[in-house]
Amino acid sequence: KEHGTVEKTGFIVFAGSPDGVMDEFHNPYAYNLFRLDTQGGHVLERITGHVLSGIEFPNLNTSIDQITYNVSSNFDPALTPDGNILFSSVQANGSRAGGKGRVMLCVDNWDGAYPRPIYGNCDEEIGGASGKSQAKITFGDRKLVYVESPYMNWGVGQLSAVSWDAPYNKTYERLSKDEGGLYRSPYPLPDDRMLVSYAERGDFGIYWFDFKNGKAGELVHNDPEWNDHQPAPVYIKYKPRWINTFTAGKNFGVTTVTYQPFDQVKVEGYPHSWGTWICFDTTLTDLPVGPYPHQRAKATKPGDVKAVRIVEGVQCVEPDAERFKAGAGKHLLGGCRSSSNSGTAFQQRRIIGYQYVEDDGSVVTSQTADTPYYIQNLDERGMAVQSGLSWAYLRPYHGRICSGCHDGSYRGRAFQNQHTKALYNWWYDDR
C-alpha cells in the first residue's frame, strides 16, 4: 500500500533511555519500554474510558506512554503469538547474583499491566549471569530462542533456547554448536526456518540457521564492506490475541486483577495514581535459608511474617556527568563502590511504606504506581527475613497477584482459588 493509506497500524513499542542517567552498573543509560500510539493518541481512553494518555505530542497528534519501570534496563521488545510484549530485563538490585546481576527474559501486556519473568532470573537456571537478548519465539515447536552472551552488555553470542510453554532447565538447549563464531538477530519464520546474523571472524552476514548441525548454514547475503544485522522477512504475520487488561468502560471501575475501591480510582489521576497488589502467602517459597541477600534469613510459617516493607528504587539522574565519577566521596563512604545512598551509588532507595500481614500469611495493599519497587518480609522484631531482588512495578488503576515469595508452582492459594484473609478483609472490612 502507498504510504499513509494503511487502515490500522496498532501500537509501536520501543526502548528509550533519558539523558543524564546512570544504571546500577555505572552504564550511562537505563532503557525502559514505551508504547507509541500511531492512531492519533488517546487510544486507551477511546477503548476503555480511562484517561491514560501518557506523554502528549500534539504536533504528531499522538501520545507516548512508558509501560515498564526498571532502575536498570529493559530492551529488545518483540511481539509474542498471544499478544504479549517479550523483552530482556537487567535485574541488578542489591547484591543480586554476587553483584553481577542477571538478564532475564520477561513478558508484559501491551500497557505494562502485568510483567511476568519467563527465564533467567533465578540462581539455579542455566546461563547464570550471562546476557540474554534478542529473544524470539519459533512457530512449530514454540521455542524461545535468544542470544546468550558471556557479558550482559554484549549484543552477540551463541544461540540458546528454552520451551516457550515450559521455560525450565529441562527444556534448555544450546542451539549453536560451533564455538568459533558469533551470532545475533535470530528471526524465526512460519515455515520453521530461521534467519540469523553470523560472523566467524568479524564480518557479519545473513544466513539460514542449520538446526540439525547447530551452525550457520546457507548464506543469504553478506556485503564485505558492511556488517549485516537484523533480518526482517516480509510475510503475512499472525494476528495476536488482543489482551485488554481493562474490564470497565467510561464509568471507570476495577481491572481484571486489582481490588481498588471505585472512589479511589475516580479521585486519583494519571500519572500519579495508585495500583494494588496482593500476595496470597508470604511464607510460600522454595528459596533456602542462607546468608546471601536472595536467600531467607530463617524459615517461616503462616503467622511468622508480621508485615511487609515496600522499598522504592529511584533512578539516578544527574546532568553533571562529573558527579558520576566512581570514587567521589569515598573518604566518607568507605570505598569507591559504596552501596549506600550516596553520590556514587547508582541505585537510590527510599521506603514507600509498610503493610500489615494477616496471620494466614496473606497481604494486600495499594501504593503509588509507575514506580519501581521491591518488598521485604518482616518478622515480629521488624527485621527482614526475605527480600525481593527484582524490581516490580504497577500501572495506574491496575493490580498484581502473587501466590508466594518466589514460588512458581501451582501449590499456592492463588492457583487453587482459595480465599485469604487479606482478600476477604479488603472487600468486606467494615472498620
Short mmCIF file of all heavy atoms in Angstrom, two decimals, residues 285-318:
data_model
loop_
_atom_site.label_atom_id
_atom_site.label_comp_id
_atom_site.label_asym_id
_atom_site.label_seq_id
_atom_site.Cartn_x
_atom_site.Cartn_y
_atom_site.Cartn_z
N THR A 285 7.56 -20.29 49.65
CA THR A 285 8.80 -20.02 48.92
C THR A 285 9.57 -21.31 48.74
O THR A 285 9.40 -22.27 49.51
CB THR A 285 9.66 -18.99 49.66
OG1 THR A 285 10.83 -18.71 48.88
CG2 THR A 285 10.08 -19.51 51.03
N ASP A 286 10.40 -21.35 47.71
CA ASP A 286 11.29 -22.50 47.50
C ASP A 286 12.75 -22.11 47.70
O ASP A 286 13.65 -22.87 47.37
CB ASP A 286 11.09 -23.10 46.12
CG ASP A 286 11.31 -22.09 45.00
OD1 ASP A 286 11.64 -20.93 45.31
OD2 ASP A 286 11.14 -22.46 43.82
N LEU A 287 12.99 -20.91 48.23
CA LEU A 287 14.36 -20.47 48.46
C LEU A 287 14.90 -21.02 49.77
O LEU A 287 14.18 -21.09 50.77
CB LEU A 287 14.42 -18.94 48.48
CG LEU A 287 14.12 -18.25 47.15
CD1 LEU A 287 14.17 -16.74 47.33
CD2 LEU A 287 15.10 -18.69 46.07
N PRO A 288 16.18 -21.41 49.80
CA PRO A 288 16.75 -21.98 51.02
C PRO A 288 17.08 -20.90 52.05
O PRO A 288 17.16 -19.71 51.73
CB PRO A 288 18.03 -22.65 50.51
CG PRO A 288 18.44 -21.81 49.34
CD PRO A 288 17.15 -21.38 48.69
N VAL A 289 17.29 -21.33 53.28
CA VAL A 289 17.81 -20.45 54.32
C VAL A 289 19.32 -20.31 54.12
O VAL A 289 20.02 -21.31 53.91
CB VAL A 289 17.50 -21.01 55.72
CG1 VAL A 289 18.16 -20.15 56.80
CG2 VAL A 289 16.00 -21.08 55.93
N GLY A 290 19.82 -19.09 54.17
CA GLY A 290 21.24 -18.90 53.95
C GLY A 290 21.66 -17.47 54.21
O GLY A 290 20.84 -16.60 54.52
N PRO A 291 22.95 -17.17 54.06
CA PRO A 291 23.49 -15.85 54.41
C PRO A 291 23.40 -14.82 53.28
O PRO A 291 23.72 -13.66 53.50
CB PRO A 291 24.96 -16.16 54.72
CG PRO A 291 25.28 -17.31 53.82
CD PRO A 291 24.03 -18.14 53.73
N TYR A 292 22.98 -15.24 52.10
CA TYR A 292 23.02 -14.32 50.96
C TYR A 292 21.72 -13.54 50.83
O TYR A 292 20.66 -13.99 51.27
CB TYR A 292 23.32 -15.11 49.68
CG TYR A 292 24.65 -15.80 49.72
CD1 TYR A 292 24.74 -17.18 49.93
CD2 TYR A 292 25.83 -15.08 49.59
CE1 TYR A 292 25.96 -17.81 49.99
CE2 TYR A 292 27.07 -15.71 49.65
CZ TYR A 292 27.12 -17.07 49.84
OH TYR A 292 28.34 -17.69 49.92
N PRO A 293 21.79 -12.35 50.19
CA PRO A 293 20.61 -11.48 50.14
C PRO A 293 19.40 -12.12 49.48
O PRO A 293 18.26 -11.81 49.83
CB PRO A 293 21.11 -10.27 49.34
CG PRO A 293 22.58 -10.26 49.54
CD PRO A 293 22.99 -11.69 49.63
N HIS A 294 19.62 -13.01 48.49
CA HIS A 294 18.48 -13.59 47.79
C HIS A 294 17.89 -14.78 48.54
O HIS A 294 16.87 -15.34 48.10
CB HIS A 294 18.90 -14.03 46.39
CG HIS A 294 19.90 -15.15 46.38
ND1 HIS A 294 21.25 -14.92 46.57
CD2 HIS A 294 19.76 -16.48 46.23
CE1 HIS A 294 21.89 -16.07 46.52
NE2 HIS A 294 21.02 -17.03 46.32
N GLN A 295 18.50 -15.18 49.66
CA GLN A 295 18.00 -16.30 50.44
C GLN A 295 17.22 -15.80 51.65
O GLN A 295 17.20 -14.62 51.97
CB GLN A 295 19.18 -17.18 50.89
CG GLN A 295 19.94 -17.79 49.73
CD GLN A 295 21.19 -18.53 50.19
OE1 GLN A 295 21.83 -18.16 51.17
NE2 GLN A 295 21.55 -19.59 49.48
N ARG A 296 16.57 -16.75 52.33
CA ARG A 296 15.82 -16.40 53.54
C ARG A 296 16.76 -16.35 54.75
O ARG A 296 17.67 -17.17 54.86
CB ARG A 296 14.73 -17.43 53.80
CG ARG A 296 13.59 -17.42 52.81
CD ARG A 296 12.55 -18.46 53.20
NE ARG A 296 13.04 -19.81 53.01
CZ ARG A 296 12.45 -20.91 53.50
NH1 ARG A 296 11.35 -20.78 54.23
NH2 ARG A 296 12.95 -22.11 53.26
N ALA A 297 16.49 -15.42 55.65
CA ALA A 297 17.28 -15.37 56.87
C ALA A 297 16.90 -16.52 57.81
O ALA A 297 17.73 -17.00 58.58
CB ALA A 297 17.09 -14.03 57.58
N LYS A 298 15.64 -16.95 57.75
CA LYS A 298 15.19 -18.07 58.56
C LYS A 298 13.92 -18.62 57.94
O LYS A 298 13.25 -17.97 57.14
CB LYS A 298 14.93 -17.63 60.00
CG LYS A 298 13.86 -16.55 60.15
CD LYS A 298 13.69 -16.14 61.60
CE LYS A 298 12.64 -15.04 61.76
NZ LYS A 298 12.50 -14.61 63.17
N ALA A 299 13.57 -19.84 58.33
CA ALA A 299 12.35 -20.46 57.84
C ALA A 299 11.14 -19.80 58.50
O ALA A 299 11.19 -19.39 59.66
CB ALA A 299 12.36 -21.96 58.12
N THR A 300 10.05 -19.67 57.74
CA THR A 300 8.83 -19.06 58.26
C THR A 300 7.62 -19.91 57.92
O THR A 300 7.63 -20.65 56.93
CB THR A 300 8.64 -17.64 57.68
OG1 THR A 300 8.62 -17.72 56.25
CG2 THR A 300 9.74 -16.70 58.13
N LYS A 301 6.61 -19.76 58.76
CA LYS A 301 5.32 -20.42 58.53
C LYS A 301 4.24 -19.35 58.68
O LYS A 301 4.52 -18.25 59.17
CB LYS A 301 5.12 -21.55 59.52
CG LYS A 301 5.09 -21.12 60.98
CD LYS A 301 4.95 -22.31 61.90
CE LYS A 301 4.81 -21.88 63.37
NZ LYS A 301 5.95 -21.10 63.84
N PRO A 302 3.01 -19.61 58.24
CA PRO A 302 1.94 -18.61 58.39
C PRO A 302 1.86 -18.08 59.82
O PRO A 302 1.83 -18.86 60.78
CB PRO A 302 0.68 -19.37 57.99
CG PRO A 302 1.18 -20.37 56.99
CD PRO A 302 2.53 -20.81 57.49
N GLY A 303 1.87 -16.79 59.96
CA GLY A 303 1.87 -16.14 61.27
C GLY A 303 3.21 -15.58 61.67
O GLY A 303 3.29 -14.70 62.54
N ASP A 304 4.30 -16.05 61.03
CA ASP A 304 5.64 -15.57 61.37
C ASP A 304 5.95 -14.23 60.71
O ASP A 304 6.68 -13.42 61.27
CB ASP A 304 6.70 -16.59 60.96
CG ASP A 304 6.65 -17.85 61.81
OD1 ASP A 304 6.05 -17.80 62.90
OD2 ASP A 304 7.20 -18.89 61.38
N VAL A 305 5.44 -14.00 59.51
CA VAL A 305 5.65 -12.73 58.82
C VAL A 305 4.57 -11.77 59.30
O VAL A 305 3.38 -11.98 59.08
CB VAL A 305 5.60 -12.90 57.29
CG1 VAL A 305 5.75 -11.55 56.60
CG2 VAL A 305 6.69 -13.85 56.83
N LYS A 306 4.98 -10.69 59.96
CA LYS A 306 4.04 -9.76 60.58
C LYS A 306 3.71 -8.56 59.68
O LYS A 306 2.63 -7.97 59.82
CB LYS A 306 4.61 -9.24 61.89
CG LYS A 306 4.97 -10.35 62.88
CD LYS A 306 3.75 -11.17 63.26
CE LYS A 306 4.10 -12.22 64.31
NZ LYS A 306 2.93 -13.07 64.67
N ALA A 307 4.63 -8.18 58.80
CA ALA A 307 4.40 -7.01 57.95
C ALA A 307 5.33 -7.10 56.75
O ALA A 307 6.26 -7.91 56.71
CB ALA A 307 4.65 -5.72 58.73
N VAL A 308 5.07 -6.26 55.76
CA VAL A 308 5.97 -6.12 54.63
C VAL A 308 6.42 -4.67 54.54
O VAL A 308 5.68 -3.75 54.88
CB VAL A 308 5.31 -6.55 53.31
CG1 VAL A 308 5.04 -8.03 53.29
CG2 VAL A 308 4.04 -5.76 53.04
N ARG A 309 7.65 -4.50 54.14
CA ARG A 309 8.20 -3.17 53.87
C ARG A 309 8.30 -3.01 52.35
O ARG A 309 8.84 -3.88 51.66
CB ARG A 309 9.57 -3.00 54.51
CG ARG A 309 10.23 -1.65 54.21
CD ARG A 309 11.67 -1.62 54.68
NE ARG A 309 11.76 -1.70 56.13
CZ ARG A 309 12.47 -2.61 56.80
NH1 ARG A 309 13.14 -3.54 56.12
NH2 ARG A 309 12.51 -2.62 58.11
N ILE A 310 7.81 -1.91 51.83
CA ILE A 310 7.82 -1.66 50.39
C ILE A 310 8.88 -0.59 50.12
O ILE A 310 8.81 0.52 50.64
CB ILE A 310 6.45 -1.20 49.90
CG1 ILE A 310 5.38 -2.19 50.34
CG2 ILE A 310 6.44 -1.05 48.39
CD1 ILE A 310 3.97 -1.66 50.27
N VAL A 311 9.88 -0.94 49.31
CA VAL A 311 11.04 -0.08 49.08
C VAL A 311 11.05 0.35 47.62
O VAL A 311 10.97 -0.47 46.71
CB VAL A 311 12.35 -0.80 49.42
CG1 VAL A 311 13.54 0.13 49.26
CG2 VAL A 311 12.30 -1.36 50.85
N GLU A 312 11.17 1.65 47.40
CA GLU A 312 11.18 2.21 46.06
C GLU A 312 12.60 2.35 45.54
O GLU A 312 13.53 2.68 46.27
CB GLU A 312 10.52 3.60 46.07
CG GLU A 312 10.57 4.32 44.73
CD GLU A 312 10.00 5.72 44.80
OE1 GLU A 312 9.47 6.10 45.87
OE2 GLU A 312 10.07 6.45 43.78
N GLY A 313 12.79 2.08 44.26
CA GLY A 313 14.05 2.35 43.59
C GLY A 313 13.95 3.64 42.81
O GLY A 313 13.02 3.84 42.03
N VAL A 314 14.90 4.56 43.02
CA VAL A 314 14.88 5.87 42.38
C VAL A 314 15.96 5.93 41.31
O VAL A 314 17.13 5.65 41.59
CB VAL A 314 15.09 7.00 43.42
CG1 VAL A 314 15.02 8.36 42.75
CG2 VAL A 314 14.05 6.89 44.53
N GLN A 315 15.56 6.29 40.12
CA GLN A 315 16.52 6.40 39.03
C GLN A 315 17.54 7.49 39.33
O GLN A 315 17.20 8.57 39.81
CB GLN A 315 15.79 6.77 37.74
CG GLN A 315 16.64 6.64 36.50
CD GLN A 315 16.80 5.21 36.07
OE1 GLN A 315 15.87 4.59 35.63
NE2 GLN A 315 18.01 4.68 36.20
N CYS A 316 18.81 7.19 39.08
CA CYS A 316 19.87 8.16 39.33
C CYS A 316 20.04 9.04 38.10
O CYS A 316 20.52 8.59 37.06
CB CYS A 316 21.18 7.44 39.65
SG CYS A 316 22.49 8.55 40.16
N VAL A 317 19.60 10.28 38.20
CA VAL A 317 19.68 11.24 37.10
C VAL A 317 20.52 12.42 37.56
O VAL A 317 20.24 13.02 38.60
CB VAL A 317 18.29 11.72 36.65
CG1 VAL A 317 18.40 12.72 35.52
CG2 VAL A 317 17.42 10.53 36.24
N GLU A 318 21.53 12.76 36.80
CA GLU A 318 22.43 13.85 37.18
C GLU A 318 22.94 14.53 35.91
O GLU A 318 23.66 13.91 35.12
CB GLU A 318 23.60 13.29 38.00
CG GLU A 318 24.68 14.29 38.30
CD GLU A 318 24.15 15.52 39.00
OE1 GLU A 318 23.61 15.37 40.12
OE2 GLU A 318 24.24 16.61 38.42
#
